[in-house]
Each structure stands twice: as C-alpha cells, then as structure tokens.
Amino acid sequence: MPTTRLDPLIAVRAAVQRWRTSLGPGLFGLACSGGADSMALADAAIEVCGATNVVVVHIDHGLRDDSARIGAEVAAWAMSRGAAAAVRRVVVATDGSLEASARAARYAGFAAVGTELGLSSIWIAHTLDDQAETVLMRVVRGTGPAGLAAMVAQRGTFVRPLLDLPRQLVRAYHAARELPEWYDPMNADLRILRVKFRDQVLPALREINPAVDDALSRLSTSAREWLDVIDELAAPHAQFPIDCVAVRGLPRAVRKRCYALALESVSLGYDATHLDRFDDVVTRETAGELCLDIAGVRLTRSYDQVLPPGPRSPSARDAPALPPGHELRRWRAGDRMKPARLKGRSRKLSDLFIDAKVPRDLRARARVIVRVQDQEIVWAEYIGSAHGESFQDI
C-alpha cells in the first residue's frame, strides 16, 4: 500500500498494538538512540502500552564527546512522559569494523539491561528500509540463502515491531508528534558501509525500480520461509561433535545449514566460503584427521567426527585421586599398559589411543598414573584403569 494512503499515527500505533497483543503483559524495553525512528517507537509504545509498562533504554557507545549529555537528555524525555529510563555506557572495540563492533557492544548492553531489570522483551525500531539495506549489503558482500533472511521480527527477547513499515511513514509519525531528535553525525559518514548503501546505492536502484525496498523485503521473507524448512531438517545434526557419516547422506543445502547452526552455537562467525570448505572436510573420504580454520579458530575432523573448538574427548576423565606410591605424568612414546578390556594383555598405549579414536592433539596431552615402584601404568586418560586395578574414573 502506498505510504501516502496511510495515516502515520494509526499505522505506527497499530503495529505496536499487534506486538503488544502478541507478547502479552510485561515490562518492555524500548531501545532508543534518540534518532527519529527510535523516538517514534518509544512514543508509540508509551501511548499504546502505558508509560508504567515501558523502560526507555539508551546505549552510550562513548564515540562522541557529547554522548553522555545525549543519554541524559533521552532519559529525561522518557521520564517526562512517565516512563522509566536506563542509560548504559559500553566499550566498543577499536579493531576491525567500527560498525560491527558498535553493534555487538550495543546488543550486549541491551541484553545486560534486560536481565538486570527483568524486561520481557526489548523493542528495536528497524524499518522496512533497514531490512532492504541489510539484504542488499549481504548480497554484495556475498551470502548464501540463509543470509538473505536478514532481520527477523522476533529473535529471542528482541522484537522489531516496525519492520514492515517504510521509514518515510515512521518519520511522518515523528514529525506529526513533534518529537525531539538527537542527530548522530555517523548517519552521514560515507565511510560506514550502511550509510553508503542508504545514501548512494539504494537511491540509484530506486530510479530503476521505485519499489525496490518492498522487493528486497519480500526476498527476505521468502528466504525466511525457506530457512524455516531447512532448519527443521538440519537441527538434529547441527551440534558438535558433528557425525560425518550421518550428515554425509543429507542434501548439500541441509548439510551446509547444519554447519552454520553448529558454528553459531559456539559463537563462531562464518561466511559462505567457510561453509563450502566445511562441507569438503565432512564429505571427504579419510581415515585420519583434517583441519579447518574459521574466524581464527581451528576445527578438527578426527575419524568420523568434527570436534568443536578446544575439544575434550567424550572419554576423557579427570584423573582419579592418587593413592600413596603413585604418580601422575604425561604418557611417553613406547609406553605400554594392560587395559581392563584386554584382561591382562599388554599393548602399546599409542595403539590403544588409535583404537579408541582419540584425536592426535588430545593424545599428545594424555596423562597416565604409574606405580612408582615398577613404573607400571595403572590408569590412562581416555583408556581407563588397567586390568586388576581398582581405579575409578571420576
């Protein structure tokens, strides 16, 4: 529907009311930078939900000389409306992308405030235009189908009530309500990729297709529908350690989604090329070990399992308490033991590790307990107690 046919006050408040009804009663956090969009959402939430059910949350990134003043003024505005306010200062990493670092610090700040104040959800003022920018940026950077899903209306406690509304409509609400605005000069800094897409790339595309924002948003919705189906198929296999035999028989699209979900579960970033390399490691025929580096972290495929970063073998145990006359040390080349399962037959410890499919890097650090008197190994990590010994793994 064209923006000019919508009453901004009715449209914005209706969007807020839909989410208020969907979420039920609670204390709602309103992420508020002081910009026009977040001020419009905060105002609409106070009007629809009631000021006593709203906490206006401002994150101070400390990137401006006047950031403390802005936080105080946003909080004062919220309290003048009868709502509570929380201002939190965060530390933004200076290495890498400033935009990405600020975003990570901001969301961590929101989550911390949410836990501290018992907020049932945190509302963010992203609009349809923000969605279009995100989709296009991911296409240009190089993304797979999952990346096209971009932002979702709700993820965990984070909610985006205005995601289906164009920015023009939200700004019209802001103007109609004569709300204050604290302008951020970074929104005009073309060194920031999102600003470049917002001010240069999308305007050029709108000359070709005036409805390009809607088109990109529909693409995101379609990708999300696809992703919901793929995720259901991938989820049973999407955790470390990954069973290469089980995953190998799945369609490639499902396999790659398994890897993506597994990497997300251990907070590792990735891109489409990482998923392709991951698939090569999983599907390759090998009897040994293969390694894969992702985001500066090494993953290891040992036999038919891809282990998580810094893995600890499922058969690893803390060393049992040492009785008198025993000592704990690292195993050595040439060590032999008589494991309980072989009932007194001696084998090289290196062979026992291979039989137990202990990854090479874990073997190197394995510990044994020996009798001081005769240096007999009575317990070995990943193997257990020797025949006739009473050591119990803890």
Side-chain angles (χ1 to χ4, degrees):
M1 184 181 295
T3 303
T4 54
R5 295 185 184 179
L6 293 176
D7 182 302
L9 296 182
I10 294 175
V12 172
R13 288 177 182 173
V16 169
Q17 181 60 59
R18 284 193 295 273
W19 278 97
R20 171 69 178 81
T21 301
S22 173
L23 294 170
L27 185 61
F28 308 117
L30 273 297
C32 189
S33 67
D37 298 344
S38 63
M39 289 298 295
L41 178 58
D43 178 83
I46 290 171
E47 291 293 316
V48 172
C49 304
T52 58
N53 296 315
V54 168
V55 178
V56 173
V57 182
H58 178 85
I59 299 298
D60 177 3
H61 299 88
L63 299 176
R64 298 172 54 178
D65 294 337
D66 58 351
S67 63
R69 175 185 62 80
I70 292 173
E73 291 178 357
V74 169
W77 172 83
M79 290 185 286
S80 74
R81 298 291 306 279
V87 179
R88 294 294 183 272
R89 180 76 174 260
V90 296
V91 177
V92 178
T94 56
D95 55 333
S97 165
L98 180 62
E99 182 183 7
S101 297
R103 182 184 184 280
R106 180 166 62 253
Y107 276 84
F110 287 142
V113 172
T115 300
E116 176 188 339
L117 301 182
L119 302 180
S120 57
S121 56
I122 299 173
W123 297 13
I124 300 174
H126 287 134
T127 66
L128 183 145
D129 299 57
D130 294 302
Q131 183 75 302
E133 293 163 9
T134 301
V135 173
L136 191 59
M137 288 167 59
R138 291 186 178 185
V139 169
V140 172
R141 283 170 166 168
T143 187
L148 296 177
M151 294 184 286
V152 293
Q154 182 175 11
R155 185 186 297 278
T157 58
F158 292 101
V159 175
R160 298 180 172 91
L162 309 182
L163 197 59
D164 292 332
L165 299 183
R167 184 178 293 137
Q168 179 184 348
L169 189 70
V170 178
R171 298 288 169 87
Y173 179 102
H174 180 272
R177 292 286 291 166
E178 298 182 342
L179 298 170
E181 177 183 3
W182 287 266
Y183 178 72
D184 185 352
M186 291 182 69
N187 288 331
D189 188 346
L190 290 175
R191 292 173 300 178
I192 298 174
L193 186 62
R194 183 173 290 274
V195 175
K196 185 172 293 187
F197 272 81
R198 177 178 300 162
D199 291 355
Q200 295 182 342
V201 178
L202 271 167
L205 291 175
R206 291 185 189 113
E207 294 180 3
I208 301 171
N209 177 11
V212 68
D213 297 83
D214 288 324
L216 290 168
S217 181
R218 287 195 303 274
L219 175 61
S220 174
T221 300
S222 297
R224 172 58 52 187
E225 293 169 348
W226 167 88
L227 196 59
D228 288 342
V229 176
I230 295 293
D231 279 1
E232 187 173 348
L233 298 172
H237 310 280
Q239 58 278 321
F240 289 106
I242 290 176
D243 185 333
C244 299
V245 175
V247 170
R248 198 176 296 146
L250 300 173
R252 190 164 189 257
V254 179
R255 293 200 306 266
K256 291 168 71 173
R257 190 59 183 156
C258 290
Y259 315 145
L261 293 174
L263 291 170
E264 290 170 10
S265 73
V266 294
S267 302
L268 275 184
Y270 61 89
D271 58 29
T273 61
H274 289 135
L275 299 183
D276 287 334
R277 287 160 47 204
F278 205 137
D279 194 52
D280 177 62
V281 166
V282 168
T283 57
R284 191 184 304 178
E285 292 292 339
T286 180
E289 292 186 356
L290 296 172
C291 294
L292 172 67
D293 291 322
I294 294 180
V297 175
R298 173 156 292 190
L299 300 177
T300 301
R301 173 184 167 181
S302 179
Y303 299 94
D304 285 322
Q305 287 189 327
V306 178
L307 305 173
R312 191 166 190 256
S313 167
S315 60
R317 297 290 187 272
D318 294 331
L322 288 174
H326 293 76
E327 65 179 7
L328 180 70
R329 64 167 172 80
R330 291 282 178 88
W331 82 285
R332 302 165 185 159
D335 275 346
R336 302 182 68 91
M337 86 174 280
K338 302 171 183 177
R341 66 180 180 83
L342 294 183
K343 299 179 179 179
R345 184 160 59 89
S346 174
R347 287 196 67 192
K348 285 185 178 180
L349 199 52
S350 57
D351 293 336
L352 294 173
F353 285 147
I354 292 172
D355 290 346
K357 296 188 175 180
V358 179
R360 185 181 294 113
D361 62 330
L362 296 184
R363 292 178 224 159
R365 302 190 297 271
R367 300 161 301 167
V368 296
I369 294 176
V370 300
R371 278 197 300 264
V372 174
Q373 180 181 2
D374 56 11
Q375 290 298 298
E376 182 81 9
I377 295 177
V378 297
W379 177 91
E381 193 169 12
Y382 310 110
I383 305 301
S385 296
H387 179 66
E389 298 292 341
S390 59
F391 285 91
Q392 297 295 319
D393 291 336
I394 298 173

